[in-house]
Amino acid sequence: MRVVIQENYDKMCKWAADYIAARINAHRGDRPFVLGLPTGSSPLGVYAELARMNKAGAVSFKNVVTFNMDEYLGLPREHDQSYWYFMWSNFFDHIDIPKNNVNILDGMAKDPEAECARYEEKIASLGGIDLFLGGIGVDGHLAFNEPFTSLTSRTGVRVLTSDTRIVNSRFFGNDPEKVPAKALSVGIGTVMDAREVLILINGHNKARALAASVEGGVSQKWTCSALQTHPNAIIACDEPACGELTVDTYKYFLDIEKAERL
Ligand code: GLP
């Protein structure tokens, strides 16, 4: 696992956007580049930078197919807190991606489990995900895979913990009861099947989750820790998120990244 430590949020986002654009630009072959994407505040700077690069002609999304990580169960697309709404207003409306290349789980599906099975099949039919960009929750959840979700889980319906509903209530008038109780989410196994995984971890409130992801054992309690067994996982983080790492760990990753740049 690589851990790329950047001084602040903006630098972390710039690093991640450059990395994603380079991967898209290097992609060759008949099949499109398949990109997994998250919502949340963490990726906002990455989306803004990728949109800027797209307008400047530095990267195109015409041959990119996207799959979003998750969606609230029971929220229609038009709801301003649906992840569909978030993705179009913060990213897809600002880049040259063809509409049909965007895949987001349908939170209003009549049969949610069938919708999740369809999603897995579609990912497989496109040859799998090349790069999965993600963020994590303060409890280390990846997508909506809360603590104690199986590390081999596939796309399915998830129950949100009280902690997550409290954290996400900032978008629902600070009322945790207004946060949907369930969501559709790719599984940890779905993320782990991607050829590369790039996770953004920023801010003091994610320091415990970063330490658990990197220094703790692989454990269902911190579902993000599954990344330790991925052959190509990168965590891009900022300085404030490093607060709970040991000094040795911190220095070790700085050394490795210095060597990467030589
Ligand atoms: C939500 C999403 C996650 C996201 C997390 C962190 O719970 N389901 O995919 O990573 O929030 O969000 P933020 O980046 O705003 O901290």
Side-chain angles (χ1 to χ4, degrees), residues 1-30:
M1 173 191 278
R2 280 175 69 186
V3 176
V4 179
I5 302 166
Q6 297 290 311
E7 198 183 330
N8 55 39
Y9 175 74
D10 288 349
K11 287 187 178 161
M12 177 194 82
C13 291
K14 174 78 182 123
W15 188 93
D18 284 348
Y19 188 87
I20 295 164
R23 280 290 184 265
I24 293 171
N25 289 336
H27 182 69
R28 300 281 175 270
D30 298 336

Side-chain angles (χ1 to χ4, degrees), residues 166-230:
I166 290 167
V167 171
N168 290 3
S169 67
R170 67 194 192 277
F171 302 115
F172 292 85
N174 291 319
D175 181 358
E177 286 299 316
K178 290 204 178 112
V179 180
K182 290 182 180 177
L184 311 181
S185 173
V186 297
I188 294 295
T190 320
V191 176
M192 293 292 286
D193 279 355
R195 290 177 192 87
E196 274 191 284
V197 182
L198 171 56
I199 302 296
L200 307 168
I201 306 184
N202 61 283
H204 287 286
N205 63 339
K206 301 282 174 70
R208 224 158 62 92
L210 176 57
S213 308
V214 176
E215 293 177 342
V218 174
S219 156
Q220 298 183 108
K221 182 160 185 195
W222 294 91
T223 54
C224 53
S225 66
L227 294 171
Q228 291 177 25
T229 64
H230 193 284

Side-chain angles (χ1 to χ4, degrees), residues 71-89 108 168 171-173 178-180:
E71 177 61 282
Y72 286 116
L73 186 65
L75 284 198
R77 289 174 165 193
E78 312 75 50
H79 192 289
D80 65 3
Q81 290 309 324
S82 80
Y83 286 172
W84 190 95
Y85 190 95
F86 175 99
M87 287 308 298
W88 280 94
S89 51
M108 296 301 285
N168 290 3
F171 302 115
F172 292 85
K178 290 204 178 112
V179 180

